[in-house]
Structures are given as C-alpha cells and as structure tokens.
Amino acid sequence: MSVALKRPEGLIKCAARLHAPSRAQASSPLRRQQLRTAVTLPELNKDRDESGRKRVVILGSGWAGYTIARRLDPRKFQVVIVSPRSYFVFTPLLASTSVGTLEFRTALEPVRSRRNKFDFFQGWADDVSFKDKTISIEEAVADPRQSLALTAGDAQEVKNEQEEKKEDIEKTRKGKLFEMKYDKLIVAVGCYSQTFGTPGVKENALFLKDVGDARRIRNRLLTCFETAALPTTTPEMRKCLLNFAIVGGGPTGIEFSAELHDIITEDLARIYPQLMPYYNVTVYDVAPTVLSMFDEKLSKYAISTLSREGVHIRTSHHVESLRRGPPEQYKDQMKDGLSCWTLKLKEEGEIGVGMVVWSTGLMMNPFVQKALDGVQQMPVEGITWGRSKIGAGNERWKVMKNEKTGGVVTDDKLRVLLHPEGGSGEKVERAVMEDVFAVGDCAQTLDTLYPATAQVASQKGEWLAKHLNDDDIATTKGFHWKNMGVMAYLGNWNAILSSEQGNISGRVAWFIWRGAYLTKAVSWRNKLLIPMYWAINWLFGRDISRF
C-alpha cells in the first residue's frame, strides 16, 4: 500500500521565498544580465540607460576580442560581442584535433555561457559610422561559412549542378541588417587566409584556421586511406591518394605535418599495413628555410628531425595551381578521375595529391578593407586632433592603414589613428580616436612590427581590458609586447622552444609545449578534458571513425 505524502502549503511558500531573489537583487542591472536568457536591442538599450554603464562593442571572438570581453568589469561596462562565430577557438590545438589526438570540443570555448557576463550577437560587422557612433551588423546565424577558414571552398565532395546552384544561393544570400550604438568600439575582426591568387587554391585546398577546417582535414585523411584500401584502386592511384602536401613552413604547417606523421605511423600503420609503402608527407615553402622565426640552430634541428621521421621538406618551391583530378600521365588509370587533386609546382611540374593543407599567411579582413577605408564624417567629441589643432571643421579624414599589410594603424595605446584624405608619410597630420580601438591581426601599432600571433593578440587584449577598467588609457604608458617565446611540435614526442631565456629542443621542449597549452586553456572543463584525451589516445589509439 502506497501513501502519497503531501507537503504543507506553508512550507512550499517558505521554500519559494528562500530561493527567490530579493527585489533588490532582481532589479540590479548586473543581476538582470546574469538571469537573462534572451536579449533584444530595446532590452540592451534600456539596461544601459538604467545602469549608466557604457556600452563596449567588440567585433570578433578571437584571441583579442574574447580576452577583452572576459576581462572587462561588467559593473562598469555593458559588453557586447559581435562575431560570425559563437565560440572562441584555441588555435594551437587545431592540428591535434585534425588527426584525432584531441577531440574538437577541447579547442572550443562557447561565447554564450553562464560563466560569461557579456552579451552576444552572431553576425558580421558590415559598416560603421564614427560620427553617429553606430555599427551596422549583418546577421550570420545561418551562414554556411561559419567554422571554416574564410577563403576555403567546399571541394571535398562531388556535387551535381542542382546542389551547386543551391549552395551558391545560400552563400550569396545576404542576412538582414540592424544597427547598434556604441560608446566604445573595439575592432578585433582578425584576418583571412592568404592564397596569393593562386588558381584553384581557394576552391580545392584545405585550411587550418577553425574547427570546421580541422573536421574537413580529418574526414579527408580517412577518406584517402579508405579509398586506397579498396581492391579496385590501382597502385598509381594509391600513390596519388596517399601523397599529402602541406604548403607553408611556419609553425602551423610544421605542427600539422608532425601530427599527420604521428597518426599514420602510430595508428594507421597498424590498420592499413599494406598501404604504408605508398604514403608520403611533404612540406613546401617558397622561403629558403622553414620556421624562420626560430633560431637557425632550432630550424636546422627541426628539418633534420622531420626528415629522419620521413617528412620531406621542400624549400624554395613555388605553387602555380591546384586543380581537381589526377595528373595527365595517370588520367587513364583513375576510375572516376575525381578522387585526387593535381598540384602544379614550378620546380617539379604536376604531382598527384590526396590532400593539400594550405598555411601560408594572412590577408586583411574585408571589413577593414572596405568599411574602414572610406572618408568619414568625424564626431566633434572623442577625438584628439593633431599638431595644427584643426579637424572639428575638417571632415575629410580617413582611418590610417599600414601600407604593406593594409591593417589598421593604432598608437601605442591601441587607439585608432586618422589622417587627412590624401595625406601620407611620417610628417602627415594625425588624429587619435579616443573611443575606437583596434587589436589582433587586423591592427598594427605605429612604428612597431609585432608578429601576427595569438600571443600578441592576447597580451593586447589583457592590456586594453585592464586600462579600460582602470579608466587610465590617456595617462598610462603605452602597450609593450613581452615575448614569452615560440614553440613548435615536431612529432614523436619532440618539439622546439625559443625564448629570451634560451633555446630548448627534444623531449624536454615537448613537455613544456604540452604544459604551456594545457595551462593556457580557458575553462576548467577543457583543462580536464585535454589531458584525459591525451591519455586515452596514448593507451587505446586514436579514433579513426568517419562521421
């Protein structure tokens, strides 16, 4: 016999009062922000007006933008991130995720989280009005390009004409636009992958700048091995399918080639032993050496280590094109003619490849190229004018750009600089926008040449957030980058490390490399998951399922 117990009504009301927030707590701006699950512009505007907080709009959720958003004081600022990605990518781990050493989620941190005290709109920055202090945003929730390098084309699968036409419509369809006011604007939109206009690269190569790219690489790698294992595949076709080319001899290209070699020799060699005579991993670079940012001894050590492991290094090589299909000499031996690609090199001619990973540099973001390129009307307040103290009546001013990179030029306090239309050179009149900042790869500090790395972007974000919180941007000393060193993984538990304290190579550098990336992981969730996956994959091998 069951007895239904009934709670006294008074106890229920008492418990509700205990767990319910007080009226003061519920009405405070910060408390409302923590409780809010959906946000609209009218709600944001009302919250800003009632709380008196200044709105800081951050364009981008990368190393600089995400760092600033997490560090800004929510009691002083209403922080809003605008980005086409709803997450932050821990880019140093992408090479590991692309081969299954780590899972994709370990390289991600969600922008929307109960731990984060800022708002977010998923969209592209389309235009900006400095005079009205408004930013125009294009919604990007359904954008098919998100999670991929912004120059990559989907060339992995054969599509019929109807599917290609439908995809083209999706890619060209423009999202709805809306405007949002700001009190302070931080431009941290990052850069695109540079292809140098090489024919076929944008459409056929794979990149390694986002999690979607890593997923494509992992799928393509396993596709090559599965296709090569079929009994209908000829030896010539196997050589093409299992020939992997990495273009770019920087840290990203070298680390990916090392990770690729690891998965082939440690896992795939046990599953496809009959295919091991056919595989080949080659790194191509136009420079006379790879890893040029390292000490010469470390660079030579990296080349000798990779060569000893079977990774071929081809320096002073120039890529002329990349097209779908096999080289001409193998055309009759390919069963479908579309299973591989042809990489044309100036020095070697045409070679068949199963996958090309492109990692050669950066090109400027179109928002910086277009939206920040025209002549704008300037506000009367919020600008420090140059030597002649003119400007309030002169509306022919432009955002200052670096002549080589095209990036936004800032002063040493990361504030965007202006110059008169048609003016250039060191002696040109300059003005400083006190409420507009630029950080990360899309910006360059005046008279300095900091490298376009995650380390520099993160340090700029930390510096800017600290001094915005302290409200001493105008009086503090300018930003100065502290070089914490540069690392690269070489495979088989070897790495190199170059820092001001000295150079380290081999197994010790590998331990430092893993320890540094583990400590730099943002959330405790990933700090726990990363070593867990390292241990699981070391004990049981990498998961090579295709999904």
Side-chain angles (χ1 to χ4, degrees), residues 455 480-486 497-503:
Q455 184 182 142
H480 179 72
W481 172 53
K482 183 179 180 181
N483 188 354
M484 304 300 291
V486 59
L497 166 64
S498 177
S499 66
E500 295 178 352
Q501 287 72 35
N503 299 326

Side-chain angles (χ1 to χ4, degrees), residues 507-526:
R507 191 64 53 85
V508 175
W510 176 81
F511 276 108
I512 297 174
W513 173 79
R514 280 207 163 178
Y517 286 169
L518 180 59
T519 56
K520 286 292 183 181
V522 177
S523 66
W524 279 105
R525 174 182 175 275
N526 280 342

Side-chain angles (χ1 to χ4, degrees), residues 45 54 61 73 90 111 127 196 198 208 219 293 312 330 343 365 410 457 489 511 536:
N45 295 334
K54 290 186 177 180
S61 59
D73 189 346
F90 195 87
V111 173
D127 202 358
F196 303 100
T198 308
L208 194 54
N219 187 65
M293 69 290 300
H312 305 288
Y330 296 141
L343 182 66
N365 191 296
T410 70
Y489 177 57
F511 276 108
I536 290 172

Side-chain angles (χ1 to χ4, degrees), residues 293-313:
M293 69 290 300
F294 285 85
D295 180 82
E296 184 179 355
K297 290 183 179 180
L298 289 180
S299 178
K300 289 181 178 179
Y301 173 84
I303 293 174
S304 63
T305 300
L306 289 168
S307 300
R308 187 168 60 249
E309 294 293 331
V311 177
H312 305 288
I313 307 294

